[in-house]
Amino acid sequence: MNKKGILALIVAVFFVVGIAEARKTELTPADERDWQVIAPQDSDAPLRDYAMLYEAGGHDGMIGVIGIPSMKPYRYIQMGVDMHNFPFSGSNAGNNNGTPDGKYLWVSDKGADAVIELNLQTGFAERILANPKPFGIHHSAAMSPNGKYIFLTGELSGKVAKMRVSDGATTVIDVPPAPSAPDYPDTSKDGKYLFAGNYYHSATMVFSQDPFKFIKEIPVGKNPHGHNVEPRNRWVVVCDKLSATQSIIDVRQLKVHKVIPVGAGPLHNQPDNFGKYNYISSFVSDSTIKVDLGRMQMVDEFPIHYRVGHNSIAPDNHYYVSQNKYSTGLFNPTGIVYAINFELQDIDELSPTYGKSVKIVPINGEPHEGRQIFSTTIQRWNTGKGEELFTKGYELGDVKVNFNDPGKSSKLRPSLAPIHLAGAKRYFIPRDDGKPGVTKEGDVYVVRIKAFSYGYIPRFIHVPKGAKVRIILTNIDKAAGLTKNPDVTMGFLPAGYYGQKTRLDGVRGMSAVGEFVADMAGEFEFYCQQFCGPLHLEMRGTLFVDPPGGQASLSVGDYDEMSKLEYQVDEPAERDFITGGNRLLNTLKEGNEPAI
Amino acid sequence: MKKYLSIIVASLFILSSGVAFSYDGSLADDTAYIGKITKIDRGARVIELTTTFEKTPKTWKLNMQDECQIQVMTTKDPSERGAFKKFVELKEGTLAVVYGWPKDGKWLARKISILNPDDYLVKRLGDDARAGIFFGHEP
């Protein structure tokens, strides 16, 4: 090669290198926030989200798994009938996301009146914890600091329970005075207290965790809902739903420290990991409210699209998800039940998109509790390491985690498919204008129920045990209370045994019908499982299946039989994975069951 | 009469001071502390943490539970988000928030979350402190 050729080669090399350098993309802070700009990966996947949002899907009976920040749905895991609240196993240390060990989450099934255990590493339902009957669970979001107990609120019976998760043994307390509606609970981080709202009393109930007993009620704003203890354990933040305020309870003094005006219809809290800010979902004002827990005042408000219920916060405090109840006008219709939506909001004060909604996606079901976990907590078992799940478990840094739990086989990881309305006879008919009440047509007890925001006519229904029952649910709502959203659907779901068979969706213009045989006696509270407005929770009635010669009540019914929950699974072999129930009612040795 | 009155006034003063002081920065029964890890005893699995963003920084001795996780909460390196670390990797001078609870005279740590000093929430606490609003203090 002559000199000219060498020179040309050098020039060409420099030219190519120059172009390559010029095309190199440097990650800017804005890029780092973009889910499409991927950091060095340990896999060939085109995208890896740094966090996962687990959400209890409500009436879709599933746990949804959503990537953060991509907001892409990864999975929907079949769990039961009407999923509401859950803690991750591990510890409640930290904010609402806790300190997950990656093993389980325990979600309350308000429809089946049970708690379902999801194994986060296999991604399947693994066990059913039967509540003592009658109970009427709503939430089970509260866990003791040592992770061995969960606290359940029986909204529909006025009871509260402490449950040992290893075997489902419980202690149950009746909350006086009746009527009582134990609602959203949270535990103090030091193992001392359980706090739970009681919307009938407009109060926060306080219990001691160990021994489990009722201590007192603290009057708060009207109709309280979300209750959460912030990470330092100084304050319980309470959403006073109908007062448009946040009551701050002093954990040490067990009294209200301050009442902060916030947006209208505050429902749920998400404190950050420091307890510096608390983010509140505000249903009526359609916004996320930011409260500074140091200054004890509201400091910001972000609009959302719209009618928010629950919420969740990323494990690094950078993103907040507003879990909205309605999507009117946002997405294509999908039939009688519309998709709701999740909205990702940027809460990093240094970000150019701070306070903005950066993504909005349609979501299945009507999600309730949402909690987020770093994706590093869930292992990769599909790369030939599956056997280690049974033999060695996994490591989170130095911490070794295995599945050798008391009372469970370490060589068996069940994959349950809890029955979700299997065998139910449900259909729609043209709008029925018959008079509400119970009539007998042939050998069938026909129950006509009119549903509206926020109630049922009639509220009390009696049928004899053994009766063939046909429920005809008609939505007579015109304005959906405050909301005026055309996609509001009215629900009907008797909690517990009949909840497996009769979950009806009452759309306008048609009537929903459900048929079943009332073969178990008892008192069954029915409720609206389709979010229909701020007082949706109070939309309740009672179905009495009366035993021969008597009247059903919370003490008269076939409760022992129902508590076995054998109807919850298809195969007799799967019954081995059901535990708890009345057999283990009040078998906890209080005073000897430390919560820390 | 004056004697009783002065006793009552003194009692009220002590009581009100007690309430005021009870919120002066971090407390022994808090369940989360934010600050720098100033000392590590690897054999005894005990760390010392000196709080920041308080008017008067305090030092707490924290005993690590067997289940105590060490995890990166915020970082400049996106690939490190949520990474679990081993105890030997934990260094003195690290900014962290530690969660746990007091029991039997010891404070038991359940989780050590490593923080990015440039993260917005850390900067916010710093800005507040410089403006005279200290973390853990009542306004």
Side-chain angles (χ1 to χ4, degrees), chain A residues 27 32 39-40 50 90-95 98-101 145-147 189-190 192 230-235 250 252-253 257 272-277 279 290 292-296 315-318 347-350 374 376-377 395-399 594 596, chain B residues 19 22-34 45 66-74 76-79 81-88 97 99-103 110-111 115 118-125 128 131 133-139:
Chain A
L27 289 186
E32 285 171 9
Y50 79 93
S91 173
N92 70 346
N95 67 353
T99 299
D101 60 11
N146 65 6
K189 313 289 181 184
D190 58 359
K192 282 186 183 168
E230 53 84 28
R232 287 180 305 158
N233 205 48
R234 296 222 176 157
W235 316 115
D250 184 325
R252 288 175 175 83
Q253 300 188 31
H257 171 78
D272 66 35
N273 280 303
F274 298 172
K276 165 69 172 168
Y277 295 124
Y279 298 88
K290 181 175 175 179
D292 186 329
L293 291 176
R295 291 178 169 86
M296 288 285 166
D316 65 351
N317 310 307
H318 279 214
I347 54 171
D348 178 347
E349 293 173 346
L350 299 178
F374 275 119
T376 49
T377 316
E395 292 177 356
L396 304 177
D398 283 327
V399 180
I596 58 172
Chain B
V19 170
S22 72
Y23 294 103
D24 184 10
S26 52
L27 301 173
D29 60 350
D30 276 354
T31 52
Y33 296 116
I34 303 171
R45 287 175 60 81
D66 291 343
E67 302 93 338
C68 183
Q69 299 173 8
I70 304 169
Q71 190 175 28
V72 177
M73 181 190 284
T74 51
K76 289 175 184 169
D77 178 359
S79 67
R81 282 183 293 201
F84 287 97
K85 298 292 179 187
K86 292 182 183 297
F87 190 32
V88 292
V97 52
Y99 304 103
W101 52 82
K103 186 186 181 187
R110 185 67 167 221
K111 184 170 191 172
L115 304 173
D118 293 328
D119 192 65
Y120 81 94
L121 209 42
V122 173
K123 281 186 171 293
R124 166 61 65 189
L125 291 177
D128 278 2
I133 299 164
F134 297 99
F135 191 60
H137 289 249
E138 274 305 278

Side-chain angles (χ1 to χ4, degrees), chain A residues 294-326:
Chain A
R295 291 178 169 86
M296 288 285 166
Q297 64 187 40
M298 178 178 154
V299 291
D300 217 335
E301 183 175 15
F302 317 133
I304 53 102
H305 304 79
Y306 35 65
R307 306 303 185 208
V308 60
H310 284 258
N311 47 5
S312 64
I313 190 168
D316 65 351
N317 310 307
H318 279 214
Y319 294 102
Y320 170 91
V321 177
S322 182
Q323 303 180 184
N324 304 335
K325 296 292 186 186
Y326 303 141

